[in-house]
């Protein structure tokens, strides 16, 4: 199994793990510092806030990959595999359109921040690193949507059932 295959399979999972551990560890340290030593830092709050933002956007891309986003699928039970594939392709096309527009406008925000040299209040480092969470998330979503198109078109052509993701409740 090649490196690219492993990155494709596990990229979001590992990124989510890194940001979640960073969030929980920083929050635990800050609570300990505040309660035991009566001292807290502004950088801890920033690390937690920006880790959470990265978690949300990378998690959104992971949900697109696994088709785990919220949807009402009552109608899907009554459709043929071909109709399901067409409906999923249509939904992904709409989502791709929105993601491309959002990627453009979120990158514009990053560009303006870089141009004017804005920095965070506590860490005093460029906000670009933190604002990049949004374009990164939408970029990952676009990659996963393209992969979804390929998978769904193959299912449509082969007449196989389309990938529907894992169900949360049955």
């Amino acid at each position: 199994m090649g490196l690219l295959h492993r990155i494709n399979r596990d990229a979001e999972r590992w990124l989510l793990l890194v940001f979640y551990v960073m969030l929980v560890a920083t929050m635990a340290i800050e609570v300990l510092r505040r309660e035991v030593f009566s001292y807290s830092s502004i950088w801890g709050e920033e690390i937690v806030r920006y880790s959470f933002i990265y978690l949300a956007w990378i998690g959104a891309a992971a949900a697109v990959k696994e088709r785990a986003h919220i949807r009402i699928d009552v109608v899907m039970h009554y459709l043929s595999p071909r109709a399901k594939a067409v409906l999923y392709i249509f939904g992904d096309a709409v989502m791709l359109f929105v993601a491309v527009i959002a990627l453009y406008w979120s990158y514009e925000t990053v560009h303006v921040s870089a141009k004017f040299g804005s920095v965070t209040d506590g860490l005093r480092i460029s906000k670009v690193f933190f604002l990049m969470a949004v374009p990164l998330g939408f970029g990952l979503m676009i990659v996963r949507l393209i992969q979804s198109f390929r998978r769904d078109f193959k299912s449509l052509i082969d007449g196989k059932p389309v990938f529907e993701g894992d169900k949360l409740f049955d």
Side-chain angles (χ1 to χ4, degrees):
M1 177 178 350
L3 178 64
L4 288 177
H5 177 72
R6 291 197 63 186
I7 290 171
N8 181 46
R9 189 187 70 197
D10 297 329
E12 288 94 348
R13 185 179 309 173
W14 284 103
L15 287 170
L16 288 171
L17 178 66
V18 166
F19 285 109
Y20 187 72
V21 167
M22 189 170 22
L23 182 144
V24 170
T26 306
M27 197 180 316
I29 290 168
E30 286 302 304
V31 167
L32 181 70
R33 289 174 73 179
R34 186 173 295 145
E35 297 301 322
V36 175
F37 301 114
S38 298
Y39 174 78
S40 64
S41 65
I42 193 167
W43 62 265
E45 178 190 337
E46 283 187 357
I47 294 291
V48 169
R49 180 184 325 129
Y50 294 124
S51 294
F52 185 76
I53 292 169
Y54 268 95
L55 272 173
W57 288 106
I58 295 168
V64 168
K65 175 186 174 195
E66 298 296 325
R67 281 224 164 104
H69 47 284
I70 297 172
R71 64 181 181 269
I72 300 172
D73 58 357
V74 173
V75 175
M76 295 297 214
H77 296 294
Y78 302 106
L79 296 176
S80 68
R82 190 168 194 76
K84 281 183 187 180
V86 169
L87 199 56
Y88 275 119
I89 290 169
F90 173 75
D92 286 346
V94 171
M95 193 165 187
L96 181 65
F97 177 75
V98 171
V100 167
I101 291 171
L103 176 66
Y104 173 78
W105 286 108
S106 63
Y107 181 73
E108 184 68 25
T109 304
V110 173
H111 178 70
V112 168
S113 179
K115 181 178 177 182
F116 291 106
S118 61
V119 295
T120 63
D121 297 324
L123 295 170
R124 307 300 299 166
I125 60 175
S126 176
K127 278 190 176 178
V128 169
F129 297 113
F130 305 111
L131 293 173
M132 277 302 293
V134 181
L136 175 72
F138 278 114
L140 282 171
M141 276 188 232
I142 289 169
V143 168
R144 295 309 185 184
L145 284 166
I146 290 168
Q147 290 174 337
S148 181
F149 279 128
R150 290 182 63 212
R151 180 184 60 216
D152 291 347
F153 276 119
K154 185 169 177 12
S155 295
L156 185 63
I157 290 168
D158 295 345
K160 294 181 181 175
V162 70
F163 174 73
E164 296 188 62
D166 292 331
K167 295 205 183 325
L168 196 56
F169 303 106
D170 275 332

